[in-house]
Amino acid sequence: MNGPDITGASRRPGRLRIAVVGAGRVGAVLAAALRQAGHDVVAATGVSDASVSRIEAMLPGVPVVPPDEAVKAAELVLLTVPDDAIAPVAAGLAKVGAWRPGQLVVHTAGRHGIAVLTEAAGHSIVPLAIHPAMTFSGTSLDLARLTDAVFAVTAPPGMLPIAQALVVEMGGEPVVIEEWDRPVYHAALVHGANHVVTAVTQASAMLARIGIEDPSRVLAPLTHASIDGALRDAPGAVASLTGPVVRGDAGTVASHLEALADQPEALFAYRAMARATADLALRGGRIGPAVYADLIATLGEP
């Protein structure tokens, strides 16, 4: 019995044959989005039961094959593996001769530009770094969320329009990030999203410890208003600052430190963020040098 046809012999003119290597939450969704745009997803790779199930759900009819077979069948490869695996996987595929000259290879890591691909896969491929600034569930719900999502794109000279066009086809908005700016870009997203989740989780735990059954009911209005204000006033956001630090209320800050003495992780985070808030308030003119010095003395060593 013959295996599935992944040659793309019957594909429509002007459409790319696409393979997704690493059909995790991101890869499967982006491949599905490009499929909706009319491209042919000809192969996918998946090892875990979750990946195989995701391929069946998001990319019905697409054969699951080994990585080298997937790459050889495609004109565009979505290399959507974890960040630290990009270089080893690309290098491994190079060793078995999977890559072809002129082949488009896309990774979706925020911190990497295109160098990670050219160093591992060789300079004959066309490397593209396309990072969607959103979180993924790996379900069809993500397809709607791609609309108007921002994608950071980095590409070689002359190839940027290709990366931008792919983003537009997926419904997103491309924003060009230079190779050397990718780590700062990614750090900003982690600090502005992941660390916010950490802070809210810690705050919820504090409220739960004093018997509040639904901490989200208390935090939600305040958190949403604070984030909305900060985004509206960005990048300065000084006008949105509220709380005891910008009021210069060192006594209140001291009481918070005492209350959190038995919660070392939350105490460390509170001190660090209070210091950063004091720095921002000083630079923005919300507090003066004397008040700032009093606050820093109260906060003590982190």
Side-chain angles (χ1 to χ4, degrees):
M1 180 176 179
N2 293 329
D5 177 17
I6 59 174
T7 63
S10 62
R11 69 193 176 100
R12 288 179 292 164
R15 298 291 84 189
L16 293 170
R17 294 193 304 270
I18 296 175
V20 53
V21 175
R25 294 181 180 184
V26 178
V29 171
L30 297 190
L34 290 170
R35 196 185 205 187
Q36 283 187 347
H39 296 286
D40 296 327
V41 181
V42 298
T45 72
V47 177
S48 68
D49 291 341
S51 293
V52 173
S53 296
R54 193 176 294 113
I55 293 168
E56 292 174 350
M58 296 295 296
L59 302 167
V62 173
V64 179
V65 300
D68 60 326
E69 290 185 29
V71 169
K72 290 176 181 177
E75 294 163 319
L76 184 152
V77 177
L78 291 172
L79 189 61
T80 47
V81 296
D83 293 12
D84 290 344
I86 293 173
V89 172
L93 289 166
K95 286 182 180 179
V96 298
W99 302 117
R100 296 195 311 274
Q103 195 170 33
L104 299 172
V105 184
V106 177
H107 79 69
T108 57
R111 72 181 178 100
H112 289 301
I114 58 175
V116 68
L117 287 175
T118 54
E119 291 171 2
H123 293 271
S124 65
I125 65 162
V126 177
L128 305 174
I130 300 178
H131 176 257
M134 60 174 277
T135 57
F136 286 78
S137 65
T139 68
S140 58
L141 296 175
D142 295 333
L143 292 172
R145 296 175 61 225
L146 287 177
T147 302
D148 297 328
V150 171
F151 286 66
V153 298
T154 306
M159 297 298 172
L160 193 57
I162 296 176
Q164 293 170 315
L166 290 170
V167 170
V168 171
E169 284 191 310
M170 290 185 283
E173 177 185 348
V175 174
V176 178
I177 304 292
E178 298 292 349
E179 179 84 14
W180 50 87
D181 288 332
R182 297 283 295 207
V184 173
Y185 155 79
H186 196 232
L189 267 58
V190 170
H191 193 48
N194 302 144
H195 293 174
V196 169
V197 173
T198 301
V200 171
T201 300
Q202 289 182 336
S204 297
M206 294 177 199
L207 294 175
R209 286 186 61 167
I210 60 172
I212 294 180
E213 295 182 359
D214 186 6
S216 64
R217 182 69 183 87
V218 178
L219 289 171
L222 181 63
T223 302
H224 290 160
S226 298
I227 292 175
D228 289 344
L231 292 173
R232 183 180 59 249
D233 297 337
V238 176
S240 300
L241 288 176
T242 62
V245 171
V246 294
R247 292 195 298 268
D249 194 344
T252 297
V253 171
S255 72
H256 293 171
L257 299 178
E258 183 178 355
L260 297 175
D262 63 342
Q263 303 174 56
E265 291 182 358
L267 178 61
F268 183 89
Y270 181 98
R271 271 200 170 107
M273 292 308 298
R275 282 174 172 270
T277 302
D279 291 342
L280 188 59
L282 177 64
R283 289 197 304 270
R286 294 290 300 276
I287 60 175
V291 171
Y292 174 82
D294 191 19
L295 287 166
I296 294 301
T298 300
L299 289 168
E301 291 299 321

